[in-house]
Amino acid sequence: MRPSRIKYYSILLITVACVTALASCKKIFDVEPENAVDKTQMYRNVFDADAAVIGIYGKLMQLAKPYILLNELRGDLMDVTLNADENLQQLNTHSVKAGNPYADPRPFYDVIVNCNDVLANFDIMIRENKLKEIEYNQRYSDVAAIRSWVYLQLGIHFGEIPYITSPLEQASDLHDISKFPMVKLEALIDSLVSFTERLPFTEDYPTGTTLLTTVDGYSTSRFFINKNILLGDLYLWDGQYDKAADRYKRVMEINGPSGLGETFYNQYRISSFANSSISYSRAQDFSSLVYTPGWRYLFERGQDNEFNYEWIWVLPFDKNFEPQNPLIDLFSPSGGSYLVKPSQAAIENWNSQTQVFTYASGTNTAAAVLRDNFPFDSRSVFTYRTINGQPVIMKYLYNYLGSDNLPVNLFNKTGKWFLTRAATLHLHYAEAANRAGKMKVAYALVNRGIKETYDTLPGAARTRDVTKWQQTFLPYPYDFDAREGDAPAYRNNWYRNQGIRGRAALRSVKVDSARYFDMSANGFIKPYSDSLGFQQFIEDMIIDENALELAYEGNRWPDLVRVALRKNDPGYLANKIAAKFEKAGNLGLAAVIRGRLSDKDNWFLPFKWQ
């Protein structure tokens, strides 16, 4: 990249940081967004448009802390520590009162107001020929997608919100909610689907785009929202399952339906070759658990090939720029306030799993295969760590705490806000496929992969003809070909897929073959005696796997709400949350919360300006 462009983007990030820092000294909305920057100095060319896009992401990063707390602490996997104040305890027990800062919608609307202003100015730029059509389409779609994503978050947590898509003449107008119609979650999702699916550009920024660069060691390649996944999520909420699967599959096969090379076979496919699996260096010895590389290292490593194989959307916090990383204070007992921790329910869930993995040593690997069993899920060891007798959520702390559990550098709080990765994509795709009637596809991707699930003789020699197996024989977007053979040698595009549980070295979830279907060598051929029950069984399996794989990444509360609404069963959500308190030994509070959440109206926070 040219030195002038590096200088431009470095100045740009510093400017965004300064604007963010100054804004934090005032109440949100005290300054009208259109007056925050002199218009004569903005919106002149594509570089100014880029500055506006980066500015939106600078604002978005202020939502990292509320995003994690609202989506995880309100769920069943996270609990408060003794250090938590009354406001966090209210959030945890679904008893939020007026004035609770964690239930303040204003930071979300701060992003939305800025998005509306930027979108309106992009419209002016294209009319005045200050942007080429492709430049406009890409940047407009990016900012619009962020706005839809923020609105979806608001709808999930508040249930009924004002939906504003035009710039405000005065920012203070937001103080008078009566000026804006309140939209319920179902209608909001319909509006978001209708708007977002009409965006003129839904792919990633192509190579050569000015926004794809490296600044201060950070590549921006994973900085921007993935619009296909956003659309997939919106369709998933809207019950349009084939459309959701289509959008997810586009990203799962981002390198095309055919090709060669490590990136083609590994990226977003949960590949056994991607150095992201749970593994051991010695058979039957848990103390030989491999820390690096492997699943844990997904949350520590820099932007190398393996990082890019898994991560889709990540926003970096840097010690030199605002906003400061809030997640270290949230999670860390050293250099932080240690406010939240894993719930006992989450810990017991990991401990209830059984690992089964293949170990090979020496040169004759075929003769040294052993099947080992450990009665827990090793992802727990990497998701949380016991420090001074207390469980500590670690996913956001691997670049801060060393092996001695102390800060590597007390003042360097560099870190990442993890938003979307391949596992998220596969689990949401599986949810859509299952509801579209493709239950076996969903089962395969969540368990031990396409090849093992569809093969009549998994583990048999590759010299046999597997033409009739190891693939789904379904039309797009449910077509997966995992065939692998050596006579002649061939490798089809999904042959490395090992499934979510396969990557974690876990047994496949056992299916009740007497009730649902035959899990014998002939595989999935018995007519369903209870197809609706089987579909619900698979859905529950997926949501349970989400808890094991994606804990504390901001998915839990939305997952539970979405499934409870789909089932039309408030008890589903109420029982999940109540179990958190039952496992913690607080039976009285569990009963209160079960009763409270049995009313759907109590799922949502009160929408009030603070």
Side-chain angles (χ1 to χ4, degrees):
M1 186 175 63
R2 295 191 304 270
S4 59
R5 188 172 295 175
I6 295 174
K7 180 179 179 181
Y8 172 83
Y9 279 106
S10 296
I11 293 172
L12 171 59
L13 289 180
I14 293 170
T15 301
V16 170
C18 292
V19 169
T20 303
L22 289 172
S24 67
C25 297
K26 294 177 174 287
K27 289 185 177 180
I28 297 172
F29 303 133
D30 278 355
V31 178
E32 297 179 17
E34 60 268 31
N35 292 337
V37 178
D38 185 349
K39 287 283 184 69
T40 63
Q41 300 300 314
M42 288 294 292
Y43 303 113
R44 299 164 299 182
N45 52 43
V46 67
F47 295 106
D48 287 342
D50 289 352
V53 172
I54 296 295
I56 291 297
Y57 281 89
K59 285 288 186 184
L60 181 69
M61 291 183 72
Q62 296 178 349
L63 300 183
K65 184 176 180 179
Y67 173 83
I68 294 296
L69 287 174
L70 291 176
N71 287 320
E72 296 294 346
L73 188 55
R74 301 184 74 211
D76 56 339
L77 308 179
M78 183 183 285
D79 206 345
V80 293
T81 69
L82 295 177
N83 299 334
D85 62 12
E86 173 63 22
N87 293 316
L88 278 177
Q89 293 175 30
Q90 289 177 12
L91 202 62
N92 189 41
T93 58
H94 297 268
S95 56
V96 169
K97 295 180 174 60
N100 189 315
Y102 298 111
D104 185 359
R106 291 186 304 167
F108 293 86
Y109 276 96
D110 188 26
V111 178
I112 288 167
V113 166
N114 279 270
C115 286
N116 288 342
D117 186 66
V118 169
L119 293 174
N121 279 286
F122 283 175
D123 286 340
I124 294 171
M125 292 182 76
I126 190 68
R127 288 198 301 268
E128 296 179 352
N129 295 318
K130 293 179 178 178
L131 287 176
K132 298 175 182 177
E133 183 177 2
I134 186 60
E135 293 170 343
Y136 167 84
N137 288 345
Q138 292 167 350
R139 288 151 185 80
Y140 183 96
S141 298
D142 196 335
V143 173
I146 288 293
R147 188 182 71 184
S148 292
W149 183 87
V150 174
Y151 266 128
L152 179 60
Q153 288 294 312
L154 282 165
I156 289 167
H157 294 294
F158 293 93
E160 188 175 9
I161 61 170
Y163 183 52
I164 306 161
T165 59
S166 300
L168 299 174
E169 292 185 7
Q170 299 182 76
S172 59
D173 286 346
L174 275 171
H175 291 294
D176 186 358
I177 296 300
S178 64
K179 294 182 179 179
F180 306 100
M182 300 292 283
V183 179
K184 290 184 179 295
L185 176 59
E186 184 178 357
L188 175 68
I189 289 172
D190 287 341
S191 296
L192 294 177
V193 167
S194 177
F195 171 76
T196 309
E197 67 183 0
R198 297 197 309 269
L199 292 179
F201 190 83
T202 57
E203 305 308 315
D204 292 342
Y205 285 110
T207 301
T209 306
T210 51
L211 277 165
L212 290 183
T213 185
T214 299
V215 182
D216 295 316
Y218 294 108
S219 167
T220 61
S221 62
R222 297 295 181 270
F223 193 83
F224 305 103
I225 189 171
N226 187 290
K227 293 172 283 295
N228 278 310
I229 291 179
L230 171 64
L231 272 166
D233 289 345
L234 290 172
Y235 287 133
L236 191 61
W237 278 92
D238 203 41
Q240 299 189 59
Y241 302 117
D242 287 326
K243 286 187 176 181
D246 166 46
R247 291 293 175 167
Y248 293 139
K249 188 76 179 307
R250 295 186 194 193
V251 184
M252 295 166 84
E253 296 186 339
I254 196 168
N255 297 307
S258 61
L260 294 171
E262 293 301 299
T263 298
F264 173 79
Y265 286 118
N266 291 341
Q267 188 170 10
Y268 305 157
R269 296 180 190 267
I270 311 296
S271 166
S272 57
F273 284 59
N275 288 326
S276 58
S277 303
I278 298 291
S279 62
Y280 297 82
S281 60
R282 296 184 299 276
Q284 300 177 337
D285 182 1
F286 173 70
S287 67
S288 69
L289 181 64
V290 175
Y291 282 61
T292 304
W295 190 85
R296 184 201 68 84
Y297 202 44
L298 292 173
F299 305 95
E300 179 183 354
R301 72 187 318 140
Q303 289 176 278
D304 56 11
N305 285 338
E306 281 77 12
F307 179 94
N308 291 328
Y309 294 158
E310 179 76 11
W311 288 105
I312 301 171
W313 188 19
V314 180
L315 291 174
F317 291 102
D318 188 276
K319 63 184 177 65
N320 296 317
F321 303 113
E322 292 289 338
Q324 188 181 75
N325 185 353
L327 304 179
I328 289 175
D329 182 67
L330 192 63
F331 296 121
S332 182
S334 301
S337 297
Y338 183 52
L339 301 175
V340 293
K341 63 182 181 179
S343 69
Q344 185 61 30
I347 292 172
E348 291 186 16
N349 191 22
W350 280 307
N351 289 342
S352 69
Q353 307 301 312
T354 302
Q355 297 182 53
V356 180
F357 70 93
T358 300
Y359 170 83
S361 64
T363 57
N364 185 10
T365 57
V369 173
L370 300 173
R371 301 296 287 183
D372 298 335
N373 297 274
F374 293 127
F376 53 87
D377 185 341
S378 284
R379 286 174 295 185
S380 64
V381 179
F382 298 146
T383 302
Y384 80 94
R385 180 188 296 174
T386 300
I387 300 177
N388 297 326
Q390 297 298 319
V392 175
I393 294 169
M394 287 297 300
K395 282 185 176 179
Y396 300 91
L397 299 180
Y398 282 116
N399 294 116
Y400 183 67
L401 295 182
S403 58
D404 59 358
N405 298 326
L406 296 176
V408 176
N409 182 333
L410 187 64
F411 301 104
N412 185 351
K413 296 187 176 181
T414 296
K416 302 181 185 74
W417 177 14
F418 302 118
L419 285 152
T420 310
R421 58 189 177 98
T424 327
L425 173 64
H426 280 235
L427 287 163
H428 283 188
Y429 173 92
E431 185 182 337
N434 178 59
R435 279 290 171 170
K438 310 302 188 293
M439 286 84 87
K440 184 177 179 181
V441 175
Y443 181 91
L445 291 173
V446 173
N447 283 280
R448 297 182 65 85
I450 298 294
K451 181 165 59 178
E452 181 166 322
T453 302
Y454 280 82
D455 197 343
T456 59
L457 297 171
R462 293 198 301 260
T463 55
R464 62 197 175 96
D465 181 4
V466 295
T467 305
K468 297 179 181 180
W469 306 289
Q470 296 186 353
Q471 58 181 314
T472 62
F473 289 107
L474 292 171
Y476 181 89
Y478 307 107
D479 54 324
F480 293 88
D481 187 345
R483 289 175 295 166
E484 178 184 17
D486 285 333
Y490 58 92
R491 304 289 185 270
N492 288 287
N493 56 356
W494 282 89
Y495 88 96
R496 294 184 180 183
N497 172 246
Q498 59 181 331
I500 300 294
R501 291 177 68 82
R503 184 169 73 170
L506 295 183
R507 289 184 182 275
S508 292
V509 173
K510 186 176 181 180
V511 176
D512 184 348
S513 59
R515 181 180 181 187
Y516 298 131
F517 58 73
D518 187 1
M519 279 285 288
S520 67
N522 293 326
F524 301 127
I525 61 173
K526 181 186 291 186
Y528 301 146
S529 57
D530 183 3
S531 59
L532 178 60
F534 178 55
Q535 188 176 66
Q536 292 178 344
F537 170 85
I538 296 295
E539 186 165 79
D540 291 343
M541 176 199 72
I542 293 167
I543 299 305
D544 288 346
E545 193 61 32
N546 287 356
L548 298 166
E549 173 75 23
L550 303 177
Y552 319 123
E553 296 176 38
N555 295 279
R556 192 56 175 172
W557 180 256
D559 284 345
L560 295 179
V561 170
R562 185 175 59 252
V563 173
L565 288 173
R566 183 184 299 144
K567 291 175 179 285
N568 193 25
D569 180 10
Y572 174 85
L573 176 66
N575 289 331
K576 288 282 189 183
I577 307 304
K580 174 169 78 171
F581 298 93
E582 290 172 344
K583 297 293 186 181
N586 198 332
L587 301 183
L589 183 56
V592 170
I593 289 174
R594 178 178 283 107
R596 184 177 296 151
L597 295 180
S598 293
D599 182 347
K600 289 182 183 178
D601 290 341
N602 293 329
W603 296 358
F604 303 107
L605 300 170
F607 188 90
K608 295 184 182 296
W609 293 117
Q610 306 294 347

